[in-house]
Amino acid sequence: IETAVEAIKRGAEDYLTKPFDREAVRKKVGRLMELHRLRTRVAQLEENLQHASDPFASIVYVSPQMQRIVERARAAAASNASVLIVGETGTGKEMLARAIHGASRRASEPFVPLNCGALPRDLVESELFGYRKGAFTGAHTDAPGVFLSAGKGTVFLDEIGEMPKDAQVKLLRVLQESEIRAVGSARPQKIDVRIIAATNRPLAQLRSEFLHEDLYF
């Protein structure tokens, strides 16, 4: 008994007493293999749960620069500040935006992306702010637009530099006053959304050529 106790203390899972038969060995080894399988499964589930609870876990990187970016993104997620993500095409700007949303207090609300560069100029405002029935030809019913569709969630404006300047002025009011006015409506409407924007243009070029200065700041 003393030897068995000492063996367990040193990390043994089980022990056999002499004399023993092969059937006893098979049963004990089988039980230990099952125990090992269950422990491996639990470890895998815990790892999956950790990744599910950390929206940034899906972002794979090795560089110190990216480490700093993720740290800043985590800090941004804890706030309600508007965020601008600058990076070349294909570097994962929307993935980072989704992680910021997923780690924020708005995570249970919708994440609504809109590619500003893919919209015809005459449809930008109606897509952003919605429109009222009869506001223009073909407006047979009210439409909410992305800001109302997001509820209390996050609106992701990709390629923000491609947004027309007149629409930028109205977006500035959204940031300043937290209200929108649908196309064809005379009454503003309060909203509670967070804006994350992205661009593949350098900041200097964005400021000098593409963004309204007040919106840039």
Side-chain angles (χ1 to χ4, degrees), residues 46-112:
E46 287 178 345
E47 182 180 357
N48 292 344
L49 184 61
Q50 181 181 2
H51 279 245
S53 62
D54 181 10
F56 291 95
S58 61
I59 302 177
V60 180
Y61 57 90
V62 294
S63 69
Q65 294 91 336
M66 195 63 197
Q67 174 67 36
R68 289 193 293 271
I69 289 173
V70 171
E71 289 173 356
R72 293 185 69 182
R74 287 184 185 276
S79 74
N80 197 39
S82 299
V83 175
L84 175 64
I85 303 172
V86 181
E88 296 177 2
T89 300
T91 51
K93 295 186 292 295
E94 182 171 344
M95 178 181 289
L96 188 63
R98 288 183 180 275
I100 292 172
H101 170 74
S104 73
R105 64 177 180 82
R106 300 178 184 269
S108 60
E109 299 290 336
F111 177 91
V112 182

Side-chain angles (χ1 to χ4, degrees), residues 22-163:
R22 293 184 178 182
E23 185 61 29
V25 174
R26 280 196 295 266
K27 287 182 178 180
K28 286 182 179 290
V29 172
R31 185 187 67 81
L32 294 177
M33 290 178 66
E34 178 66 14
L35 180 62
H36 174 72
R37 187 188 68 80
L38 291 175
R39 285 178 174 173
T40 303
R41 178 61 175 159
V42 168
Q44 181 182 2
L45 291 173
E46 287 178 345
E47 182 180 357
N48 292 344
L49 184 61
Q50 181 181 2
H51 279 245
S53 62
D54 181 10
F56 291 95
S58 61
I59 302 177
V60 180
Y61 57 90
V62 294
S63 69
Q65 294 91 336
M66 195 63 197
Q67 174 67 36
R68 289 193 293 271
I69 289 173
V70 171
E71 289 173 356
R72 293 185 69 182
R74 287 184 185 276
S79 74
N80 197 39
S82 299
V83 175
L84 175 64
I85 303 172
V86 181
E88 296 177 2
T89 300
T91 51
K93 295 186 292 295
E94 182 171 344
M95 178 181 289
L96 188 63
R98 288 183 180 275
I100 292 172
H101 170 74
S104 73
R105 64 177 180 82
R106 300 178 184 269
S108 60
E109 299 290 336
F111 177 91
V112 182
L114 180 70
N115 189 326
C116 301
L119 289 175
R121 293 180 64 89
D122 55 348
L123 292 181
V124 172
E125 291 187 25
S126 59
E127 286 289 330
L128 286 173
F129 313 118
Y131 55 84
R132 293 290 177 261
K133 180 180 178 180
F136 49 84
T137 303
H140 301 300
T141 184
D142 291 351
V146 296
F147 284 107
L148 288 182
S149 297
K152 294 186 177 182
T154 299
V155 171
F156 175 61
L157 301 176
D158 198 8
E159 297 187 32
I160 184 68
E162 311 307 316
M163 182 180 291

